[in-house]
Amino acid sequence: MNHKVFLDIEDMDKEQGISQEYIPRMPRKRRKRRRRGIFLPVFLCMIALASLTGCLFLVVKNRLLETEKEEAVAYLNEMRTEPSYSETQMQDMMDAAVLEAARQKEEEILGTVKGMMENGEGTAAMLRALYPEEIVVAANSRYYFFPVLDTLKHHSYEEEQFIMNDDNVLEYLSDGAVVSKKGIDVSRYQEKIDWEKVAGDGVDYAFIRLGIRGATEGKLILDESYETNMEGALENGIKTGVYFFTQALNQEEAEEEAEFVLEHLEGYDISYPVVLDIEEVTTKNPRTKDMEKQDWTDVCIAFCDKIKEAGYTPMIYGNLKTFLLMLDMGQLEEYEKWFAYYQTPLYFPYEFSIWQYTSTGKVAGISTDVDMNISMKDFG
């Protein structure tokens, strides 16, 4: 989204096109599951011992059914005279297996880190490779680690089915056919747009910024290019949705924003969602600086419910910081999600419909860079 001073810095690895100083990850308690590769040999040894014990038990049981008790005991004693490992020998084997596995794991980790550094990949990328069962978020001059929750809905997209075509447009394929929709989002920062050329460049839909709430005084402001962009897109057969950049402090202000949006939707044929844009800002002393996760979540619910009541499809826009640090996603499952992430492969496990994959796209009819989006759902 193009908010200039209203934008926050999302990731120190240029996920949102803005850099910060890298800092080392804060110390944190080591997770036991990181060492699961180390205990595999031990686990196999234990299985072998258990299997041997089980087999011996079955043999004795069968002989008890066939012979007298004395004969079975004699057979068991005979089995015990065969070569076996003592407890001390078994412990030595287990210790050796643990040390060897640890050495191999250390070499694997160091090799991964070295390779990523040689390829110029950032700290966040390395951490994500080393912690595949967690979501790593770089924000506020530190790194956050979130477990991937099975209690939240997950998307079913296959990574290899996202293909960048020859025109640098991301597409999603199924059985070799493109099933995604090409979209953009624009505001006054895209200046004058030739919508006929935009339509000729294969753009299926456009999200038009309807307005914002000011980050300091909290005034509701209509985007100065909103009406021109809406009319230009619709006249050229491009489906439209709108988005509003919120700085609401509470449910009442969120409903006020929804009413402002609905008022300015009158007379336009909207087929794509009405979106609440949730991002932190870096403006000095923003009015939302003291808001907590539940406050932001309440704002989302109040806005989206008001939009839904009016017959439109509500949607929430955000990045990793938005969805993991600012919002409680468990309370927002029913609403559509629009995810912003400017790297591939996709790094988000939870359900969403639209992916904003770059802020530096090129489209005929637009002289500036433009946000590019891929929708896996045809809202039109």
Side-chain angles (χ1 to χ4, degrees), residues 8-22:
D8 193 13
I9 297 171
E10 193 278 341
D11 190 349
M12 290 170 280
D13 291 296
K14 299 182 180 179
E15 288 183 353
Q16 300 299 327
I18 306 173
S19 299
Q20 289 190 43
E21 179 184 1
Y22 291 156

Side-chain angles (χ1 to χ4, degrees), residues 322-339:
T322 302
F323 288 122
L324 295 171
L325 285 176
M326 297 175 66
L327 298 176
D328 180 358
M329 291 189 65
Q331 299 180 54
L332 303 171
E333 289 271 70
E334 66 178 284
Y335 309 115
E336 298 282 355
K337 310 294 190 309
W338 178 6
F339 178 56

Side-chain angles (χ1 to χ4, degrees), residues 35-51 90 93-95 97-98 101:
R35 310 294 294 181
R36 63 182 182 278
I38 294 176
F39 292 103
L40 183 57
V42 178
F43 181 65
L44 294 175
C45 290
M46 297 298 290
I47 289 177
L49 285 174
S51 299
M90 195 65 222
M93 291 173 61
M94 292 170 65
D95 291 343
V98 169

Side-chain angles (χ1 to χ4, degrees), residues 184-187 195 206-211 225-227 229-230 233 240-244:
I184 59 174
D185 59 90
V186 298
S187 68
W195 285 100
F207 282 105
I208 313 296
R209 189 174 77 167
L210 187 146
S225 296
Y226 166 66
E227 293 178 351
N229 283 333
M230 282 292 293
T240 60
V242 300
Y243 70 94
F244 184 89

Side-chain angles (χ1 to χ4, degrees), residues 42-168:
V42 178
F43 181 65
L44 294 175
C45 290
M46 297 298 290
I47 289 177
L49 285 174
S51 299
L52 179 60
T53 303
C55 291
L56 189 58
F57 173 78
L58 290 174
V59 170
V60 173
K61 182 178 179 181
N62 288 335
R63 286 189 63 86
L64 279 171
L65 295 174
E66 298 171 359
T67 64
E68 298 295 332
K69 180 176 180 180
E70 292 80 5
E71 292 178 336
V73 171
Y75 182 77
L76 178 58
N77 289 333
E78 182 181 346
M79 290 286 291
R80 286 177 176 169
T81 64
E82 295 181 359
S84 62
Y85 294 110
S86 66
E87 288 187 12
T88 300
Q89 290 173 319
M90 195 65 222
Q91 187 61 51
D92 289 343
M93 291 173 61
M94 292 170 65
D95 291 343
V98 169
L99 289 174
E100 176 61 19
R103 184 190 64 79
Q104 293 179 6
K105 189 64 177 178
E106 181 179 359
E107 290 181 355
E108 177 187 337
I109 292 173
L110 291 175
T112 298
V113 171
K114 180 180 179 181
M116 297 185 79
M117 292 181 69
E118 289 176 341
N119 291 332
E121 299 185 57
T123 306
M126 287 189 286
L127 290 173
R128 288 164 185 168
L130 296 174
Y131 293 87
E133 296 179 13
E134 296 179 272
I135 306 172
V136 181
V137 181
N140 307 327
S141 298
R142 58 171 292 186
Y143 293 95
Y144 298 84
F145 293 74
F146 296 90
V148 177
L149 301 176
D150 292 333
T151 53
L152 296 178
K153 297 176 185 176
H154 287 224
H155 68 72
S156 59
Y157 309 132
E158 298 293 337
E159 179 182 315
E160 64 275 8
Q161 291 176 214
F162 285 104
I163 304 296
M164 192 72 73
N165 68 19
D166 294 339
D167 295 322
N168 288 321

Side-chain angles (χ1 to χ4, degrees), residues 4 11 102 154 178 182 230 251 256 269 273 296:
K4 301 296 183 185
D11 190 349
H154 287 224
V178 177
K182 176 182 177 180
M230 282 292 293
Q251 297 179 45
E256 180 188 21
D269 182 15
W296 284 109

